[in-house]
Amino acid sequence: MVEKSYDVAVVGASIAGCTTARLFAQRGLRVALIERNSDVNAYKALCTHFVQPSAVPTIRRLGLAPLIEAAGAVRNYLDVWSRWGWIRPPEDVPHGYNVRRRTLDPILRRLATSTPGVEFMPGWSVRSLIEEGGCPAGVGIGDRAGRSRDIIARLVVAADGRASKTAELGGVPANVEPNGRFSYFAHYRDLPLVSGARSQMWMLEPDVAYAFPNDGGVTLLACMPAKDRLPEFKGDLEGSFARFFEELPDGPSLSGAERVSKIMGAISLENVSRPAAYRGVALVGDAALWTDPLWGVGCGWAFQSAEWLVDTTATALVRGGDLGRALERYRKEHRSQLSGHHRLISDYSSVRSYNPLERLMFSAAAHDESSARHFHAFGSRSIGVREFLAPRALGRALWVNARRSNARSGTRGLEPSVAAAGRRRAV
């Protein structure tokens, strides 16, 4: 049967979908929020539970920040270890959140579905894309009982994850790039960290590990080794996982901690990117971009991409403007904001060594507060690749490393002309 029409049909009621639905509804639009899982308290288990600082403005705009803080979300500050030592940005840098998805997802879903203008449809899956005049005009959905409905909408939004059925139905092309690492993680209680409440990340070249304190006194431990170690982990998962963390510099001791989850893993971590708008279909969150979870970008980009979509298209939907042109603006905004990050992350997931610029920036950030702040701004996805590698930042890093090199060798300083050039770049 044909249902009443909506302005927007959002397929998927996780972070990206709920954010999209609430923000569109707050602009006075009618939103159908379609979710295949019938459990309103469902949550995503395979996740780093790390929300980047770049997404905090969106979280505050949603009215979500006080809700998750009341539920115990931990403001995250990230210390990063590399062979040059610890990078420890000061606590006055912008924070993100560590919050388990079992806590975050139900809170955000209740917030979205209680927003006037949002009609929640749990237990329904997208089956077809309705077209009119060659343009999307809604979706056909069905449930497990065999019932079907047509949801007529002026805009269809794919928020249904990495393997998006909506994107498949819309013929949206996907670019898939390999990942040379796999991942295992588990949750622990009563696990003391050297950093206290700060998150920790170890860049071991090529293996990676992290420890993220979360709500409820639970800490997430995750390791992402190169795939040549996969037989070792498959042969003895419990032992390999424990040994991995026991060997970390300043790593956590698991001996007195209680593991409160099974050890969960993901072997296939390919990077998947799609255009954020394609032939009238908009894509948000993982449906548009699924990038190596090593860097904890997925949750943050889900919040942010939803906000960009609403901000670029809501006026056209409210006033009857050119929606196609608005979607093109969204596609360009999404690409401008995230493509550089995605390319760099995908490149690093090939398990390559650090390039000269990365070595320069890592080593400087470990020994200079200004460089550590700059490193944090990039790692938190608050600035892009170009700004991260701006001449001024590179000059500062060169100066820091040259100063340390001279101090180690016992020399009195740089050649005057070189020192002057370093000072000019560092100012």
Side-chain angles (χ1 to χ4, degrees), residues 42-75:
Y43 61 91
K44 184 176 180 179
L46 290 173
C47 184
T48 64
H49 312 298
F50 188 94
V51 183
Q52 291 284 3
S54 59
V56 170
T58 311
I59 291 171
R60 290 172 177 158
R61 178 177 172 181
L62 286 165
L64 180 63
L67 301 178
I68 59 174
E69 290 203 1
V74 177
R75 295 187 175 189

Side-chain angles (χ1 to χ4, degrees), residues 194-225:
V194 171
S195 62
R198 293 171 69 103
S199 297
Q200 292 179 285
M201 185 174 186
W202 290 265
M203 306 293 291
L204 304 170
E205 298 179 76
D207 301 343
V208 177
Y210 43 70
F212 293 161
N214 273 270
D215 58 288
V218 173
T219 297
L220 169 75
L221 293 187
C223 63
M224 296 184 176

Side-chain angles (χ1 to χ4, degrees), residues 308-387:
W308 297 331
L309 173 64
V310 173
D311 287 348
T312 52
T313 62
T315 298
L317 287 165
V318 170
R319 300 180 181 176
D322 189 333
L323 182 57
R325 183 173 297 179
L327 285 171
E328 179 61 13
R329 287 197 299 271
Y330 166 61
R331 186 192 66 80
K332 290 180 177 179
E333 176 74 6
H334 190 282
R335 181 179 177 82
S336 172
Q337 294 282 355
L338 302 184
S339 64
H341 289 291
H342 179 76
R343 285 197 300 270
L344 192 62
I345 290 172
S346 296
D347 180 50
Y348 186 68
S349 70
S350 66
V351 198
R352 62 165 175 77
S353 300
Y354 291 137
N355 62 42
L357 288 177
E358 290 166 340
R359 292 197 295 269
L360 174 70
M361 302 303 275
F362 266 87
S363 57
H367 298 96
D368 175 64
E369 182 178 302
S370 177
S371 298
R373 287 179 181 273
H374 188 69
F375 183 91
H376 170 271
F378 180 67
S380 66
R381 310 302 155 179
S382 299
I383 63 173
V385 177
R386 287 186 179 180
E387 190 173 351

Side-chain angles (χ1 to χ4, degrees), residues 31-52:
V31 182
L33 180 57
I34 303 156
E35 168 57 46
R36 66 179 180 180
N37 199 317
S38 59
D39 182 2
V40 296
N41 292 314
Y43 61 91
K44 184 176 180 179
L46 290 173
C47 184
T48 64
H49 312 298
F50 188 94
V51 183
Q52 291 284 3

Side-chain angles (χ1 to χ4, degrees), residues 185-340:
F185 63 93
H187 297 90
Y188 289 82
R189 198 179 300 278
D190 300 322
L191 180 69
L193 301 177
V194 171
S195 62
R198 293 171 69 103
S199 297
Q200 292 179 285
M201 185 174 186
W202 290 265
M203 306 293 291
L204 304 170
E205 298 179 76
D207 301 343
V208 177
Y210 43 70
F212 293 161
N214 273 270
D215 58 288
V218 173
T219 297
L220 169 75
L221 293 187
C223 63
M224 296 184 176
K227 281 190 173 178
D228 59 6
R229 297 188 64 178
L230 187 56
E232 168 195 342
F233 275 76
K234 284 190 172 182
D236 178 17
L237 178 56
E238 299 269 350
S240 297
F241 190 84
R243 285 191 296 272
F244 190 99
F245 285 92
E246 289 169 357
E247 295 169 1
L248 293 175
D250 297 330
S253 173
L254 277 59
S255 59
E258 176 192 6
R259 180 156 58 85
V260 293
S261 76
K262 63 181 181 180
I263 299 176
M264 296 168 279
I267 308 303
S268 177
L269 299 172
E270 288 84 0
N271 301 278
V272 181
S273 60
R274 299 182 179 93
Y278 186 81
R279 295 181 180 175
V281 175
L283 295 85
V284 291
D286 289 349
L289 200 60
W290 198 92
T291 306
D292 191 347
L294 185 156
W295 301 98
V297 295
C299 293
W301 288 355
F303 282 114
Q304 291 179 271
S305 60
E307 183 176 35
W308 297 331
L309 173 64
V310 173
D311 287 348
T312 52
T313 62
T315 298
L317 287 165
V318 170
R319 300 180 181 176
D322 189 333
L323 182 57
R325 183 173 297 179
L327 285 171
E328 179 61 13
R329 287 197 299 271
Y330 166 61
R331 186 192 66 80
K332 290 180 177 179
E333 176 74 6
H334 190 282
R335 181 179 177 82
S336 172
Q337 294 282 355
L338 302 184
S339 64

Side-chain angles (χ1 to χ4, degrees), residues 141-200:
I141 61 176
D143 67 4
R144 292 184 178 180
R147 296 176 298 175
S148 62
R149 303 168 66 179
D150 286 345
I151 304 300
I152 306 303
R154 295 154 63 196
L155 174 63
V156 173
V157 179
D160 48 348
R162 178 187 184 189
S164 172
K165 179 66 174 180
T166 312
E168 178 188 334
L169 291 169
V172 184
N175 181 55
V176 181
E177 298 175 80
N179 193 321
R181 295 182 182 85
F182 62 96
S183 174
Y184 282 105
F185 63 93
H187 297 90
Y188 289 82
R189 198 179 300 278
D190 300 322
L191 180 69
L193 301 177
V194 171
S195 62
R198 293 171 69 103
S199 297
Q200 292 179 285

Side-chain angles (χ1 to χ4, degrees), residues 366-423:
H367 298 96
D368 175 64
E369 182 178 302
S370 177
S371 298
R373 287 179 181 273
H374 188 69
F375 183 91
H376 170 271
F378 180 67
S380 66
R381 310 302 155 179
S382 299
I383 63 173
V385 177
R386 287 186 179 180
E387 190 173 351
F388 178 58
L389 298 177
R392 178 172 175 171
L394 293 175
R396 176 79 186 187
L398 285 166
W399 178 76
V400 169
N401 283 289
R403 183 181 61 182
R404 291 188 60 252
S405 178
N406 288 332
R408 287 197 304 269
S409 63
T411 59
R412 297 186 62 181
L414 295 170
E415 187 73 25
S417 61
V418 177
R423 284 194 297 271

